[in-house]
Amino acid sequence: NDGEAAWDLLLRQLLQVRVVVTDIEMPRLSGLGLASRIRADSRTAHLPIIAVTSLASEEDIAKGKAIGIDEDQIKLNRDQLLAGVHAHAAA
């Protein structure tokens, strides 16, 4: 529903999570905020993060990379997203 709910769910299900897929534009806590929180917490910092977004400018992508997003996916190419998830989960 929103970034805060995603963070809570992540912590509750941490042992089952191998990759985080997040939207960038979310209420309460944006995807960039969520990614920043994930990278700052030792329990979650190792997780690969894939951002799904319609914000695809070089500046937007650079912001995500600076925070620690591993991969950007443009909304929504399902096959490309699944390929990214599988690649990061297998690493």
Side-chain angles (χ1 to χ4, degrees), residues 26-91:
M26 296 188 293
R28 295 202 313 153
L29 180 66
S30 72
L32 293 177
L34 177 62
S36 181
R37 193 177 285 182
I38 289 168
R39 290 293 177 243
D41 191 304
S42 62
R43 298 170 292 178
T44 57
H46 67 283
L47 292 170
I49 303 170
I50 299 174
V52 178
T53 183
S54 59
L55 303 174
S57 73
E58 287 184 27
E59 182 180 337
D60 293 321
I61 292 169
K63 283 181 192 176
K65 294 286 182 207
I67 288 172
I69 290 174
D70 296 290
E71 184 176 337
D72 288 282
Q73 295 274 339
I74 305 306
K75 284 185 182 174
L76 186 64
N77 181 325
R78 182 180 178 274
D79 293 334
Q80 187 175 349
L81 175 60
L82 289 175
V85 168
H86 288 292
H88 286 288

